[in-house]
Amino acid sequence: MIGLDVVNVAERLYAAADTVTAIPQLAAEVGLDVPTAYQVQAALVQRRLDSGERLVGLKMGLTSRAKMAQVGVDEVIWGRLTDAMRVPDGGLVDPSAYIHPRVEPEVAFLLDRLPEPGEPVGDFAGAVRAVAPAIELIDSRYADFRFSLPDVIADNTSAAAFVVGPWSPVPAGLGNLGVLLEVDGRVVQVGSTAAILGDPRRALDEGIRLAGRHGVRLQSGWVFLAGAATAAVPLRPGAHVRAVVEKLGTASLRARS
């Protein structure tokens, strides 16, 4: 997009996260479209890498068909994960480090090898080493957690932190496993892995295809978050959060009081 200072827009988003200060939506103000939003995302994550972080994976967003229809799009979006976002299973997070943190249960894949040049996307599912239950902590840098599609893409799809539970071999079926999100021992969301594009493995295919458009190849050892299986809920100080995925087990985190 002619005239748009991608680095400047990325710096505004970086500063919002760094200072824990919400900002107004940017897309309408600067004239941001989807392709340029991914350029901003790349510059935003590069800012983090320049500060010493390293890439450890990718994540998907808008993997629910209902959510796609709600925002008026027909394909999912993707973002990047860094090592600084990773929280150990059962680990402690500080809600005050985020603007308005929310948590949601997910399915994570551990990638075993690089895709071969020209390899059919569907065949790459065989490159998955393991699968695990996961929790993603999302935190839009925009005021009131409201944004357009280019806004959320530029903001690295609201990525903030993630927890991965124990890895296990990929079961024969992932398309309709029960999912619970518990807060302080109480079930607050009930869902299914079917909410993730019908099957989380489809999200992996989509991620490889979409990231590839921007010259990003998934790496061996990377984590891939397939998308949320339920709606996200606010993370309150002192809360204990647990995601339960049928056949896969649990992942959890605690919020500092």
Side-chain angles (χ1 to χ4, degrees):
M1 183 167 290
I2 297 174
L4 177 62
D5 187 339
V6 166
V7 173
N8 177 265
V9 176
E11 189 60 35
R12 291 169 68 178
L13 286 163
Y14 182 88
D18 190 49
T19 62
V20 197
T21 305
I23 61 174
Q25 294 182 48
L26 296 172
E29 174 192 340
V30 302
L32 192 63
D33 59 15
V34 167
T36 315
Y38 277 113
Q39 295 179 29
V40 173
Q41 180 191 122
L44 171 62
V45 175
Q46 186 59 51
R47 179 71 167 79
R48 297 183 67 129
L49 301 183
D50 291 344
S51 71
E53 298 178 32
R54 61 184 177 86
L55 283 176
V56 296
L58 297 183
K59 58 152 290 186
M60 303 304 289
L62 300 180
T63 48
S64 160
R65 296 295 182 187
K67 189 67 173 179
M68 288 186 201
Q70 180 183 354
V71 298
V73 298
D74 58 5
E75 69 176 24
V76 295
I77 60 177
W78 62 279
R80 296 158 165 93
L81 302 173
T82 75
D83 61 330
M85 298 178 187
R86 187 157 191 169
V87 176
D89 189 19
L92 190 68
V93 299
D94 183 358
S96 69
Y98 307 99
I99 298 168
H100 24 219
R102 300 180 182 182
V103 288
E104 54 192 24
E106 303 219 4
V107 170
F109 293 109
L110 179 62
L111 304 183
D112 197 30
R113 62 171 174 84
L114 302 179
E116 298 296 331
E119 180 178 1
V121 167
D123 293 349
F124 185 55
V128 174
R129 183 186 311 169
V131 65
I135 298 171
E136 185 179 9
L137 190 160
I138 55 175
D139 184 35
S140 174
R141 269 52 74 164
Y142 301 112
D144 302 319
F145 222 108
R146 298 179 63 85
F147 42 75
S148 68
L149 184 64
D151 280 315
V152 68
I153 291 171
D155 190 28
N156 195 27
T157 64
S158 304
F162 68 98
V163 174
V164 177
W167 295 107
S168 60
V170 181
L174 286 174
N176 191 23
L177 303 180
V179 178
L180 301 177
L181 183 64
E182 300 175 352
V183 177
D184 296 331
R186 182 173 63 89
V187 174
V188 296
Q189 291 288 330
V190 177
S192 166
T193 56
I196 308 171
L197 293 181
D199 187 318
R201 289 170 292 193
R202 292 178 184 164
L204 176 60
D205 283 351
E206 285 290 285
I208 295 166
R209 180 178 65 83
L210 295 173
R213 288 183 185 175
H214 298 269
V216 176
R217 288 186 66 199
L218 281 71
Q219 303 293 309
S220 176
W222 274 13
V223 172
F224 183 91
L225 296 182
T230 74
V233 301
L235 180 64
R236 302 187 314 273
H240 177 239
V241 179
R242 190 171 79 132
V244 183
V245 183
E246 182 184 359
K247 295 184 180 181
L248 302 186
T250 67
S252 68
L253 63 81
R254 291 184 178 274
R256 190 185 303 277
S257 297

